[in-house]
Amino acid sequence: MYFHLFAQMKKQLRQVDRWFDKAEAHAKARGFDPDLLVAVRLAPDQFGLARQIDSACDTAKLGASRLTGKDAPKNDDDEKTIAELRARVASAIAYLDSFTEKDFEGAATRTVTTPRWEGRTMTGHDYFLEHALPNFYFHLAHAYAILRASGVDVGKRDYLGALTQTKP
Amino acid sequence: MYFHLFAQMKKQLRQVDRWFDKAEAHAKARGFDPDLLVAVRLAPDQFGLARQIDSACDTAKLGASRLTGKDAPKNDDDEKTIAELRARVASAIAYLDSFTEKDFEGAATRTVTTPRWEGRTMTGHDYFLEHALPNFYFHLAHAYAILRASGVDVGKRDYLGALTQTKP
């Protein structure tokens, strides 16, 4: 199931390119530099668009790394343009593409920790459910919300992507 | 796993009471009626706080119902106060409390549809991953974002709640 949950995260990260397409079209129509959106925040003391995108990528990337023991690529978190944010998302997707279902065998009972936890640990199961998954969606939805509140006409379909449906 | 994923949704819905506590304290400190927050939106053509909370509750409630075949309670979506939104969240939590792990047996292969899909169907597995889970977190994070952008000092711990950690 972890493999499928990460596949879904990957699917949603792929949608971000479409959000940026709409963001660039909006900026062009309004006559402003689309890269100005990179620093927009919903509150002055909350992460802006760049850090929300970085955090969504990191929770997916580090989540998969910690559940499998496979090293994750390092990123510099210094994106200043939409193009650099697109590359950051593509890098997270490429890393997630490297996993197979087999990599997640035993993930539930792995011992997970992070530098911030000062020696405390979680099981892979609890870490994924209580931390990685909700943080991923938190930051992804905030990135969307920043664009939406900035006038970009993203909608729920741009967030979810195509659904696997069977016609009657 | 579905049972555990819904248990996590329930845990996060329980956190919403804490957000509202902070929202009420913020309104009191600033001298405005906290119920004014219920209608706040990040964009004029996006759902406001009430509908974001309703939608988070509905995706959890209907998700569990559609994966198990157990009838879900109906709600009127007419909340005008924080107190009414607290009751709506409590109602979703109470419904989710009624499930056992056994209820989700066979959920992955159930056929799911909604009135909006005009006869199209999804498997329970795809519906949960592609629709219910991402929609739940989308609306929950938007409710949080509306409060945060309104000056309420909610933080990541208020979102995640306590983590199941083992001390060194």
Side-chain angles (χ1 to χ4, degrees):
Chain A
M1 189 71 165
Y2 298 114
F3 177 72
H4 296 289
L5 286 154
F6 278 102
Q8 176 63 25
M9 292 184 190
K10 199 167 62 176
K11 177 185 169 188
Q12 298 211 227
L13 285 174
R14 279 201 200 97
Q15 291 301 114
V16 174
D17 256 338
R18 170 130 185 91
W19 308 358
F20 287 154
D21 290 345
K22 288 195 167 186
E24 288 171 337
H26 173 68
K28 191 175 178 187
R30 293 279 299 272
F32 68 84
D33 179 352
D35 292 334
L36 288 169
L37 290 166
V38 172
V40 173
R41 299 163 187 256
L42 292 179
D45 57 346
Q46 198 189 31
F47 289 169
L49 179 63
R51 193 84 182 262
Q52 299 289 359
I53 292 286
D54 287 353
S55 300
C57 290
D58 275 351
T59 48
K61 178 184 86 174
L62 296 173
S65 173
R66 288 172 181 146
L67 285 186
T68 60
K70 289 177 76 168
D71 285 341
K74 289 210 166 39
N75 297 94
D76 291 332
D77 296 341
D78 59 356
E79 297 87 359
K80 299 275 187 293
T81 65
I82 298 281
E84 286 168 350
L85 287 177
R86 287 186 194 265
R88 173 62 176 269
V89 172
S91 142
I93 292 169
Y95 177 65
L96 294 173
D97 268 337
S98 74
F99 289 86
T100 64
E101 192 151 8
K102 199 169 157 52
D103 291 325
F104 291 93
E105 281 175 13
T109 53
R110 266 187 184 271
T111 299
V112 172
T113 191
T114 82
R116 283 193 195 176
W117 294 352
E118 300 172 341
R120 295 189 302 276
T121 61
M122 299 182 77
T123 65
H125 175 84
D126 291 338
Y127 163 71
F128 181 80
L129 284 175
E130 299 180 14
H131 194 278
L133 186 73
N135 273 328
F136 172 77
Y137 279 112
F138 180 90
H139 293 292
L140 190 72
H142 271 77
Y144 176 102
I146 288 169
L147 293 175
R148 187 70 165 72
S150 300
V152 179
D153 75 333
V154 284
K156 187 61 82 64
R157 284 191 189 185
D158 300 314
Y159 171 72
L160 290 179
L163 301 178
T164 308
Q165 293 185 322
T166 303
K167 288 181 184 165
Chain B
M1 190 70 166
Y2 299 114
F3 178 71
H4 296 289
L5 286 154
F6 278 102
Q8 176 64 24
M9 293 185 189
K10 197 166 63 175
K11 176 186 169 186
Q12 298 212 226
L13 285 173
R14 281 203 198 95
Q15 292 301 115
V16 174
D17 255 338
R18 170 130 185 92
W19 308 357
F20 288 154
D21 290 345
K22 287 194 165 184
E24 288 171 336
H26 174 68
K28 191 174 176 186
R30 293 278 301 272
F32 68 84
D33 179 353
D35 292 334
L36 288 170
L37 291 165
V38 172
V40 173
R41 299 163 187 255
L42 292 179
D45 57 345
Q46 196 188 33
F47 289 170
L49 179 63
R51 193 86 183 262
Q52 299 287 1
I53 292 285
D54 287 353
S55 299
C57 290
D58 276 352
T59 47
K61 179 184 84 175
L62 296 173
S65 173
R66 289 173 182 146
L67 285 186
T68 61
K70 289 177 75 168
D71 284 341
K74 289 207 166 43
N75 297 95
D76 292 331
D77 296 342
D78 59 354
E79 297 87 357
K80 299 276 187 293
T81 65
I82 297 282
E84 287 168 349
L85 287 178
R86 285 186 195 267
R88 173 63 176 269
V89 172
S91 141
I93 292 169
Y95 176 66
L96 293 174
D97 269 337
S98 74
F99 290 86
T100 64
E101 193 151 4
K102 200 170 157 52
D103 291 325
F104 292 92
E105 281 175 13
T109 53
R110 266 185 184 273
T111 298
V112 171
T113 191
T114 81
R116 284 193 195 175
W117 293 352
E118 298 170 344
R120 295 189 301 277
T121 61
M122 299 182 77
T123 65
H125 175 84
D126 290 339
Y127 162 71
F128 181 80
L129 284 176
E130 298 181 15
H131 193 278
L133 186 73
N135 272 329
F136 172 77
Y137 279 111
F138 180 91
H139 293 292
L140 190 72
H142 271 79
Y144 176 103
I146 288 168
L147 293 175
R148 187 70 166 73
S150 299
V152 179
D153 74 335
V154 283
K156 188 60 84 63
R157 284 191 188 185
D158 300 314
Y159 172 73
L160 291 178
L163 301 178
T164 308
Q165 292 184 323
T166 302
K167 290 182 184 164

